[in-house]
Amino acid sequence: TAGDRDRELIILVIGETARADRLSINGYERDTTPRLKEAKAISLPNFWACGTSTAVSVPCMFSSNGMGRFSPNQAGSEENLLDVVQRAGVNVLWLDNNSDSKGVALRVPYQDFRSPEINTVCDSECRDEGMLVPLQDYIDSHPKGDILIILHQMGNHGPAYYKRYPPAFEKYRPACQSKDLSRCSNEEIGNAYDNALLYTDHFLGKTIELLKRNDKNFETALFYLSDHGESLGEGGVYLHGLPRAIAPDSQLHVPAILWFGSGYDEVDLPSLLRKRSQRFSHDHLFHTLLGLLEVRSARYKPELDVLDGCRKRDRGGPA
């Protein structure tokens, strides 16, 4: 709104193939999220995916239709969350270290970070943290308006989990070193998977550091949300992609993390902590982002905003 003088800087990280029960911030016995715990990030441990594949879940989570009415065939021709906020004057940028945006970012600035010509942090493959390198320049070059940056991770993309992290993050051994999972034990597969999660925690920690450096000029926030989970041998099932109706929880129960900078003072953290265990889903992303960016829209449904009832005051946000 015209009277809102505070600028928002929101980074939305779309994770890949992460499952909620493998994060230590959710009670997993291995310390796979030390940086998130150090940053006092808030986990929403009861969060569920729209689908079991990137092709379904990513466009679904950006749609206002919700999983009940979402159609992958129609998603490309419908206005999604990015279209709405960009039309409202928000500076939107999508950086991708995965396959692509699955049609979500067709009408916003987009850059592919899977090649060393663009991504300056590459070894055996280009790393997610390379997407952070150009962001301060981007932020500085946009002196007006709110900013929404989407970082689409390679994350835990299987089956070659061992490729998803630099050697320094191989904490759990022996780790499966093959994309043919039949050559490895479930223990070795789980070790490689957890090492990749540890690298995602490192990446999220560095993202939070970037946001902290911009606290003086923005209300900053991080939202991390995975597209779907992964089966790691439970019941003889591996990877993902089963029909949602028969998919195990491991493919649908995903991590969701929120972090707020020191300047983002409108969220009442005790209220959020009291509701953190409520059941949420990808349906909540569209409305939560509208709320974070204080964008008015007739499509906004407060009951699907994770932060509804957790704001200290009405500052002209969604109505």
Side-chain angles (χ1 to χ4, degrees):
T1 59
D4 182 14
R5 297 183 179 181
D6 295 316
R7 299 180 66 199
E8 276 76 41
L9 170 59
I10 312 295
I11 296 184
L12 171 65
V13 177
I14 302 299
E16 169 67 49
T17 320
R19 45 189 276 181
D21 64 349
R22 305 292 282 214
L23 273 64
S24 57
I25 200 170
N26 288 338
Y28 185 48
E29 62 269 17
R30 285 179 165 175
D31 192 12
T32 52
T33 55
R35 296 200 64 170
L36 286 176
K37 289 193 284 187
E38 180 184 9
K40 294 181 171 55
I42 297 171
S43 175
L44 305 176
N46 193 9
F47 216 102
W48 297 83
C50 181
T52 63
S53 69
T54 304
V56 172
S57 283
V58 170
C60 182
M61 71 171 74
F62 285 89
S63 169
S64 64
N65 290 329
M67 65 180 75
R69 296 189 297 118
F70 173 74
S71 168
N73 296 329
Q74 297 178 7
S77 60
E78 295 177 337
E79 192 176 51
N80 63 44
L81 172 66
L82 303 188
D83 298 314
V84 172
V85 299
Q86 182 172 253
R87 186 157 48 85
V90 176
N91 301 292
V92 179
L93 175 67
W94 183 299
L95 303 185
D96 208 303
N97 199 38
N98 202 304
S99 51
D100 55 52
S101 74
K102 306 306 175 187
V104 175
L106 291 177
R107 296 170 291 275
V108 302
Y110 172 95
Q111 195 160 24
D112 187 334
F113 265 70
R114 290 178 298 165
S115 70
E117 289 77 21
I118 302 297
N119 191 329
T120 58
V121 185
C122 300
D123 41 53
S124 58
E125 68 174 41
C126 288
R127 301 300 176 191
D128 290 334
E129 62 188 294
M131 292 187 287
L132 300 175
V133 174
L135 290 189
Q136 191 59 59
D137 286 344
Y138 174 83
I139 294 166
D140 293 342
S141 67
H142 290 78
K144 295 182 179 180
D146 296 339
I147 297 175
L148 172 63
I149 298 169
I150 301 92
L151 305 177
H152 189 196
Q153 284 186 276
M154 178 59 77
N156 276 54
H157 197 295
Y161 308 120
Y162 69 99
K163 290 186 176 181
R164 306 287 95 94
Y165 55 89
F169 288 84
E170 191 164 284
K171 178 178 180 180
Y172 304 109
R173 299 176 179 174
C176 180
Q177 299 292 319
S178 173
K179 63 180 181 181
D180 181 357
L181 298 183
S182 66
R183 297 184 176 184
C184 301
S185 67
N186 282 356
E187 178 188 7
E188 292 169 332
I189 295 168
N191 286 342
Y193 184 87
D194 287 349
N195 290 332
L197 277 181
L198 188 64
Y199 179 63
T200 284
D201 174 74
H202 168 77
F203 168 67
L204 294 176
K206 294 195 72 171
T207 306
I208 289 172
E209 287 178 359
L210 172 72
L211 289 169
K212 284 182 176 179
R213 292 196 294 270
N214 289 276
D215 264 353
K216 291 182 179 180
N217 299 318
F218 294 90
E219 295 179 332
T220 61
L222 167 80
F223 195 168
Y224 164 71
L225 181 59
S226 189
D227 58 353
H228 55 76
E230 187 84 321
S231 291
L232 296 172
E234 300 91 347
V237 179
Y238 296 87
L239 304 175
H240 57 269
L242 287 175
R244 196 179 195 283
I246 62 170
D249 287 355
S250 59
Q251 294 188 28
L252 293 167
H253 188 195
V254 293
I257 304 291
L258 288 165
W259 176 89
F260 301 99
S262 59
Y264 207 105
D265 60 357
E266 72 174 55
V267 176
D268 182 58
L269 294 180
S271 296
L272 178 57
L273 290 171
R274 283 194 293 271
K275 69 180 293 188
R276 62 184 290 271
S277 295
Q278 291 182 19
R279 185 181 178 97
F280 299 108
S281 74
H282 280 164
D283 288 359
H284 288 78
L285 178 66
F286 185 98
H287 308 278
T288 303
L289 260 294
L290 286 183
L292 282 169
L293 290 164
E294 301 176 13
V295 172
R296 292 183 181 272
S297 171
R299 298 190 191 184
Y300 174 77
K301 297 178 180 179
E303 68 273 16
L304 291 177
D305 182 346
V306 169
L307 298 174
D308 183 50
C310 301
R311 293 184 173 88
K312 295 178 182 177
R313 59 187 181 277
D314 180 10
R315 302 177 60 190

